[in-house]
Amino acid sequence: FCCSSLNFSIDSLEKMGVIKNYTAVSAILKSRDEQQKLIKEWEKLWNNKYQHTKSDLIKIGEKRGFKASAFSGFDSLVLKKYSPLNVNEKAGVLSRITTNYLIETDTLTAVINVLKLEGNNENINKVYSTFENREDVWVVDKRLITSELMDVLNDNFNRLIIISLAFVFIILLLAYGRIELTIITMIPVLISWIWTVGIMGVFGISFNIFNIIILTFIFGLGIDYSIFMMRGLLQDYKYGIKDMSSYRVSIILSSITTLAGIGVLIFAKHPALQSIAMMSIIGIFSVVLINFILLPAIFNWLVSYKKGKRNRPVTLLDFIMSVISLIVFVLGALMMNLLSFLFRIFPANRDKKKYVFHWIFSKLTWFLIYMNFFSRKTIINPHGEDYSKASIIIANHQSHIDLMLMMLLNPKVLVLTNNNNYNHPFYGFALKYADFLPSDGGYENVLDNYKPLMKKGYSLVIYPEGHRNDSGIIKRFHKGAFYLAEQLKIPVQPILIHGQNQLLKKSEFFLKRGSITTKFLPKISMEDESFGTDLRTKTKGIQKYFKQEYADLRKEKETADYFADYVRKNYLYKGPVLEWYTFVKLKLENNFKIFNDIIPRKCTITDLGCGYGYLDYMLNLISDDRIITAVDYDEQKIAVAANCAIKTPKVKFISDDITTYVLESSDVIIIKDVLHYLPEEKQKRLLHKSFEKLNDNGIIIVRDGDVEAEKEHKKTRFTEWLSTGIGFNKTTNDLEYISESQIRSFAESVKMKFEIVEQAKFTSNKIYVLRK
């Protein structure tokens, strides 16, 4: 037990006003040594006074009428052998008083004294300093313990949140198969958490154990609601099912029932219950509001923009590269603005300063274009055109990238720009110092301003379409560029730009990956009358020539490999299985190059058994003169195919049984990987029906496993068994494979030319082409 000097220290603190009051059990409990000392003093006292006191008691008692035996208890009290008290014994008043104030173990015995202080740090520090040098006294600050306990709870709670978020992140990543969807699903949870904590700060609600417990509950609800909303958005994006209202109603009902059960505690009198209710109301309201507003907004931005669905949705890599490009652009614009001021005051030859400024401008645009190393850039200059002499450069205008593409070609390039860009507060100073010319003053002003710059060897870029147009179609040319070339007697340098409209669209400021081709055409002299005899006819003639060259460039560049990325990305965010199936299918099919080579660029096509429509989209993307009707028995596959962003009115998807479907007359009928799903009799009927609906000079393309190629056919059977067994491909019949002999026999019976154009290396699949 604490020694008696402790009581003196406590009394002193009370007299100083540090302690308001205290419960000091040590005042009634003596230490074992003190008890031993007092027992010895007791025994010494009665050893000296026992006989005398005993005789005095008997004498006085007899005088009062008491017998000597009446004082026998005196002997038991005085002569008893005492030992130190054991205060943990359950009997006795002392035990009942001290039982809650004692700690006793095999190695330690301690007594608890409770001190209540005036509430300020100075008094707390005085208590600490009073007992800091005593090894037999421990000062336990209840407030400090509570604070540290809350710190521990907060730390553990934060650790729990991090672990839970990581666990949820991994599960969502496995379920969605895309990190973009996982991040979007997690964002509302994180934002609602920040929002909730912020509201707590505004209203002065402090963290306590009850708040921490209820926040874990809200955290779980937030994840549930996010997943639920994402499911509704994905259903719409994948199948076109417009059912978001039912998902919202379900979340609202869930939140109302939760608030009805917990939020009603706001009317309780106990502060802890009120705290639980307040946190529930704030947290659930935040979670619901953010899920309703933020999550759909982010997802819709991912897959669409103000003109409709994106033909390629945003990916994380695109987003990162776009942000980096934006940062570089902003920093570059600030740097060029700063240099424009410095160059004005720097004492040097003006023309040399301008050339250095243009050189820096050119290198900066080169870096902006080529820093996106995931994109492909090609420059075609078969005639070796250069900028040794000034010329009027014309190019198609479909993106902001056009400006940078022209500037990186050579330092001595000026651009005719509109008044908004010329006076832009962010980069207008740099454009003015670079002698870019505003177009709003009319071409007479442009002529006067450009003439001295032309003499210094500067070429002028003019976009004859006037405004950006991201449709990929060359619009009408204005005659201003050709007027300048005619007046200044300098040539026109046509430059074709392909692919830039898909990297950075006119209607948004988001950069994506892709391929850009810049092609130089031969210079055109305005004295050449092959394009016309006057300015108006020359403008039209050059436009016609430009459009034809651009069409040829598109035909050269827009191949199956070019559009493979478009087809594949239209099946992103529609499930990991479908995404990987699309990727593998395109690889195995070599992007359907062989079908594109066989099928004319202008024709009507019927695709029987189209599946997810990969082939149909590829054929239409390469040539929009192909009108395609695609039919499949699986209504889910048709729903997915029909809900792609690259769908046009020239591609129609129908869910129907191809054996009963009424065929329309077609130039090409495709029966790919579908005959073995039909009984033999239906196979024959389908082939004959296709022949009957085939136009003159039409083509029937059949691909299927050849049952006669026994070794390879085993692999074909196995792959089909897997796809039908897991339900990926629907079938109502046993698989019945056709043979090359049967296809050949059919062709001979209807007098069609028969040809095998491809045979798979590892399976028995063959492509048969039957020409009418």
Side-chain angles (χ1 to χ4, degrees):
F1 296 125
C2 297
C3 62
S4 58
S5 61
L6 176 64
N7 298 325
F8 176 78
S9 299
I10 295 174
D11 289 336
S12 299
L13 291 171
E14 184 182 31
K15 291 175 182 178
M16 292 166 60
V18 175
I19 299 175
K20 288 196 298 184
N21 55 69
Y22 64 92
T23 303
V25 179
S26 59
I28 61 174
L29 294 175
K30 301 296 182 182
S31 68
R32 190 173 294 275
D33 292 339
E34 288 179 311
Q35 290 186 62
Q36 292 283 9
K37 181 180 178 182
L38 291 172
I39 290 171
K40 288 179 180 179
E41 290 179 358
W42 175 266
E43 291 175 347
K44 182 179 179 181
L45 172 68
W46 292 111
N47 286 338
N48 296 330
K49 295 185 176 184
Y50 174 73
Q51 293 298 335
H52 177 71
T53 304
K54 179 75 179 284
S55 61
D56 286 346
L57 279 174
I58 292 172
K59 289 178 181 180
I60 296 171
E62 288 177 348
K63 291 179 181 181
R64 304 279 181 157
F66 288 96
K67 295 180 180 180
S69 60
F71 301 102
S72 59
F74 175 77
D75 291 343
S76 61
L77 177 65
V78 172
L79 299 178
K80 180 181 177 182
K81 293 296 182 181
Y82 288 100
S83 61
L85 291 172
N86 183 0
V87 295
N88 283 330
E89 292 180 357
K90 300 301 179 184
V93 176
L94 185 61
S95 174
R96 288 194 292 272
I97 294 173
T98 63
T99 186
N100 294 324
Y101 295 89
L102 292 177
I103 300 172
E104 187 169 16
T105 67
D106 294 339
T107 58
L108 172 70
T109 301
V111 63
I112 300 172
N113 294 310
V114 180
L115 310 182
K116 294 186 178 180
L117 279 62
E118 296 290 349
N120 60 68
N121 291 331
E122 184 179 352
N123 288 338
I124 294 172
N125 292 333
K126 286 180 180 179
V127 173
Y128 277 117
S129 61
T130 300
F131 300 108
E132 64 182 353
N133 295 322
R134 295 193 56 163
E135 295 182 355
D136 59 343
V137 177
W138 296 342
V139 178
V140 180
D141 188 346
K142 183 178 179 182
R143 188 189 66 173
L144 179 62
I145 290 175
T146 304
S147 176
E148 290 181 348
L149 177 61
M150 287 305 302
D151 290 340
V152 171
L153 286 174
N154 284 332
D155 290 341
N156 288 335
F157 178 68
N158 291 333
R159 189 177 297 110
L160 173 64
I161 290 295
I162 293 171
I163 294 172
S164 300
L165 283 173
F167 188 66
V168 171
F169 186 89
I170 293 171
I171 292 176
L172 291 176
L173 186 60
L174 293 173
Y176 292 140
R178 297 294 309 185
I179 192 170
E180 296 88 350
L181 297 181
T182 304
I183 292 173
I184 292 173
T185 306
M186 298 294 289
I187 284 176
V189 177
L190 299 175
I191 297 297
S192 60
W193 169 260
I194 295 170
W195 192 349
T196 301
V197 173
I199 294 174
M200 287 175 62
V202 171
F203 288 99
I205 304 172
S206 59
F207 268 109
N208 56 48
I209 190 169
F210 304 105
N211 291 343
I212 290 174
I213 292 172
I214 203 65
L215 279 174
T216 58
F217 170 68
I218 295 170
F219 174 74
L221 273 181
I223 293 173
D224 289 343
Y225 292 165
S226 293
I227 294 172
F228 209 51
M229 284 293 292
M230 181 57 75
R231 175 175 172 78
L233 292 167
L234 290 176
Q235 288 286 99
D236 182 12
Y237 182 65
K238 184 176 182 179
Y239 299 110
I241 300 174
K242 307 290 184 182
D243 195 28
M244 283 303 300
S245 59
S246 63
Y247 288 92
R248 290 191 178 96
V249 169
S250 300
I251 291 174
I252 290 172
L253 291 176
S254 171
S255 61
I256 289 174
T257 53
T258 304
L259 288 174
I262 302 177
V264 73
L265 295 177
I266 194 73
F267 300 108
K269 295 182 179 180
H270 196 286
L273 297 178
Q274 288 181 341
S275 177
I276 292 173
M278 182 63 72
M279 284 304 305
S280 300
I281 293 171
I282 294 172
I284 293 174
F285 176 78
S286 301
V287 164
V288 172
L289 190 63
I290 292 173
N291 269 287
F292 278 14
I293 297 174
L294 187 61
L295 193 148
I298 298 175
F299 180 82
N300 289 331
W301 173 82
L302 193 75
V303 300
S304 62
Y305 67 120
K306 65 181 181 181
K307 285 190 175 181
K309 287 183 179 180
R310 297 180 187 272
N311 56 14
R312 289 181 297 167
V314 176
T315 63
L316 181 61
L317 185 57
D318 286 333
F319 179 76
I320 292 172
M321 291 306 302
S322 184
V323 170
I324 294 173
S325 299
L326 179 61
I327 293 171
V328 172
F329 174 79
V330 171
L331 294 177
L334 293 174
M335 182 188 77
M336 296 309 297
N337 273 342
L338 177 61
L339 287 177
S340 68
F341 287 111
L342 295 177
F343 274 46
R344 282 185 174 94
I345 62 176
F346 186 74
N349 181 274
R350 185 176 182 275
D351 290 342
K352 291 183 178 179
K353 287 193 298 182
K354 287 291 182 81
Y355 181 80
V356 172
F357 189 80
H358 273 270
W359 184 87
I360 297 172
F361 222 149
S362 177
K363 296 304 177 185
L364 178 61
T365 55
W366 181 93
F367 180 73
L368 276 167
I369 292 295
Y370 283 92
M371 66 174 287
N372 190 354
F373 48 85
F374 292 104
S375 296
R376 297 182 298 276
K377 297 91 182 173
T378 305
I379 297 178
I380 303 173
N381 190 2
H383 306 285
E385 302 291 351
D386 58 26
Y387 296 92
S388 57
K389 295 182 180 180
S391 61
I392 299 296
I393 301 171
I394 63 169
N396 50 310
H397 196 21
Q398 299 175 355
S399 171
H400 280 299
I401 297 176
D402 302 335
L403 178 67
M404 292 182 281
L405 289 170
M406 295 298 100
M407 290 172 61
L408 66 82
L409 297 174
N410 190 280
K412 285 198 168 185
V413 170
L414 307 175
V415 179
L416 185 68
T417 184
N418 61 45
N419 200 50
N420 291 333
N421 290 330
Y422 193 71
N423 295 309
H424 198 281
F426 192 63
Y427 47 78
F429 295 106
L431 298 184
K432 288 176 181 177
Y433 186 76
D435 290 324
F436 281 30
L437 302 177
S439 61
D440 296 355
Y443 277 96
E444 292 296 337
N445 288 337
V446 174
L447 180 65
D448 294 337
N449 292 328
Y450 174 60
K451 188 177 293 184
L453 297 169
M454 178 200 71
K455 293 178 180 179
K456 296 176 184 178
Y458 285 91
S459 297
L460 180 63
V461 176
I462 299 177
Y463 300 105
E465 294 171 280
H467 299 284
R468 280 176 293 147
N469 158 45
D470 59 11
S471 66
I473 300 172
I474 304 298
K475 298 292 185 179
R476 183 178 70 88
F477 279 8
H478 298 279
K479 61 184 179 181
F482 312 104
Y483 167 78
L484 291 175
E486 189 175 69
Q487 293 296 313
L488 296 170
K489 300 187 183 306
I490 56 177
V492 173
Q493 173 64 73
I495 297 179
L496 306 173
I497 309 174
H498 176 267
Q500 79 280 33
N501 60 317
Q502 298 300 331
L503 271 69
L504 185 61
K505 289 184 174 294
K506 172 185 176 181
S507 48
E508 62 174 347
F509 200 71
F510 180 79
L511 184 66
K512 289 191 288 189
R513 289 170 290 159
S515 61
I516 306 174
T517 300
T518 305
K519 183 177 181 179
F520 289 72
L521 300 179
K523 284 187 173 70
I524 299 173
S525 172
M526 291 305 293
E527 296 178 356
D528 183 359
E529 295 187 353
S530 62
F531 294 102
T533 55
D534 56 51
L535 187 61
R536 181 172 174 273
T537 56
K538 284 180 181 179
T539 300
K540 287 186 175 182
I542 294 173
Q543 179 198 17
K544 183 178 179 181
Y545 164 70
F546 195 96
K547 289 179 70 173
Q548 183 58 52
E549 291 292 332
Y550 185 71
D552 292 343
L553 180 62
R554 286 190 62 182
K555 187 175 180 180
E556 176 187 344
K557 292 295 178 180
E558 294 178 5
T559 62
D561 290 338
Y562 177 85
F563 284 116
D565 188 57
Y566 291 78
V567 175
R568 183 178 67 83
K569 284 186 175 177
N570 267 260
Y571 296 85
L572 292 187
Y573 309 137
K574 296 183 178 181
V577 175
L578 179 56
E579 180 179 339
W580 278 103
Y581 175 76
T582 304
F583 177 80
V584 173
K585 186 72 171 176
L586 290 173
K587 286 291 183 182
L588 292 176
E589 297 281 4
N590 195 21
N591 299 326
F592 301 103
K593 289 180 183 177
I594 190 167
F595 289 90
N596 181 64
D597 293 340
I598 296 170
I599 297 172
R601 295 183 70 89
K602 186 174 183 179
C603 62
T604 58
I605 303 169
T606 300
D607 184 7
L608 300 177
C610 64
Y612 287 106
Y614 306 135
L615 172 61
D616 309 293
Y617 280 130
M618 182 64 76
L619 294 174
N620 179 250
L621 285 168
I622 293 173
S623 173
D624 61 2
D625 289 327
R626 290 166 172 163
I627 301 172
I628 303 170
T629 301
V631 186
D632 197 275
Y633 176 75
D634 192 330
E635 63 277 3
Q636 282 195 338
K637 289 182 178 180
I638 289 295
V640 173
N643 205 46
C644 290
I646 53 176
K647 185 181 182 303
T648 69
K650 293 186 177 181
V651 181
K652 181 171 62 175
F653 290 96
I654 298 172
S655 176
D656 204 342
D657 186 344
I658 60 174
T659 60
T660 58
Y661 174 70
V662 178
L663 287 173
E664 296 181 359
S665 298
S666 304
D667 298 313
V668 179
I669 296 177
I670 303 171
I671 309 173
K672 180 172 67 69
D673 301 329
V674 70
L675 283 179
H676 59 273
Y677 287 98
L678 306 176
E680 183 178 352
E681 186 58 36
K682 289 186 176 181
Q683 293 175 2
K684 293 178 180 179
R685 285 207 299 267
L686 179 62
L687 288 172
H688 281 281
K689 182 170 66 173
S690 299
F691 172 75
E692 292 169 0
K693 289 296 182 179
L694 197 64
N695 295 331
D696 292 340
N697 301 314
I699 304 171
I700 297 177
I701 302 175
V702 178
R703 186 176 73 179
D704 219 296
D706 179 10
V707 71
E708 294 173 347
E710 296 181 3
K711 183 179 178 181
E712 292 81 4
H713 194 61
K714 292 179 180 179
K715 298 173 184 177
T716 303
R717 284 186 177 276
F718 177 72
T719 56
E720 286 296 329
W721 174 79
L722 282 178
S723 61
T724 55
I726 62 176
F728 195 79
N729 290 332
K730 285 186 176 183
T731 180
T732 56
N733 310 292
D734 292 334
L735 301 182
E736 295 187 25
Y737 287 90
I738 201 166
S739 66
E740 177 187 333
S741 301
Q742 290 174 296
I743 299 293
R744 189 185 296 274
S745 175
F746 164 75
E748 291 174 354
S749 67
V750 293
K751 297 181 180 179
M752 296 184 74
K753 295 179 181 178
F754 174 84
E755 180 185 4
I756 299 176
V757 296
E758 185 184 68
Q759 182 169 346
K761 293 181 180 179
F762 304 107
T763 65
S764 62
N765 285 337
K766 295 179 181 178
I767 297 178
Y768 311 101
V769 176
L770 286 67
R771 300 181 185 274
K772 191 171 184 179

